[in-house]
Amino acid sequence: MTSASSQPVANPARRTVMAAAGAAGLTVALAACGSDGGSDGGSDTVGSGAAGSALGKTSDIPEGGGKIFKDEGVVVTQPSAGTYKAFSAKCTHQGCAVGSVSDGVIVCPCHNSHFSAEDGSVKQGPATQGLPAKKIKVSGDSIELA
């Protein structure tokens, strides 16, 4: 009868494990700050809506504020009563998705850039270029990409 041989299991050296963990952490940190256009520091991405995509109702857009349509990559604002504007929801600084709209300002949460809800221009950096305008069509109480 032969006995089962017990072979020692090779364990990775502590340095190897620590180096791998450090590399993984660095990769995550760099991905969050990257300029690939898809990250806002979290898991949300900025999409690209197609013409004719229904966005919502005019009643969804508060006066002086706006609403971000992440799936379509568009932020729609109502700077004054009955006037609707649309801009890319991708910050021009490093490509993060903008996070909020209020008091006439679109704010990027990544580095705190502020943009005008009226024309998309930079109100506060670090962004140096405004948000590109998007074409929308308002028909009755519906808003869609043009």
Side-chain angles (χ1 to χ4, degrees), residues 87-137:
F87 308 97
S88 169
K90 181 177 171 181
C91 180
T92 57
H93 176 238
Q94 286 194 340
C96 295
V98 297
S100 64
V101 186
S102 63
D103 299 322
V105 178
I106 303 165
V107 179
C108 178
C110 291
H111 301 104
N112 207 31
S113 289
H114 291 189
F115 303 91
S116 167
E118 185 159 343
D119 61 11
S121 63
V122 176
K123 294 185 86 93
Q124 174 182 307
T128 57
Q129 296 180 359
L131 296 174
K134 295 284 189 173
K135 293 183 180 182
I136 55 172
K137 178 181 173 186

Side-chain angles (χ1 to χ4, degrees), residues 36-110:
D36 67 344
S39 177
D40 66 356
S43 62
D44 294 331
T45 58
V46 179
S48 58
S53 296
L55 294 174
K57 304 243 178 245
T58 55
S59 59
D60 295 338
I61 315 300
E63 186 178 343
K67 183 172 181 182
I68 300 163
F69 298 91
K70 289 183 182 181
D71 290 344
E72 294 81 5
V74 175
V75 57
V76 177
T77 64
Q78 186 181 184
S80 59
T83 301
Y84 299 92
K85 306 279 183 153
F87 308 97
S88 169
K90 181 177 171 181
C91 180
T92 57
H93 176 238
Q94 286 194 340
C96 295
V98 297
S100 64
V101 186
S102 63
D103 299 322
V105 178
I106 303 165
V107 179
C108 178
C110 291

Side-chain angles (χ1 to χ4, degrees), residues 56-59 82 84 137-144:
K57 304 243 178 245
T58 55
S59 59
Y84 299 92
K137 178 181 173 186
V138 178
S139 181
D141 66 348
S142 295
I143 302 172
E144 64 183 47

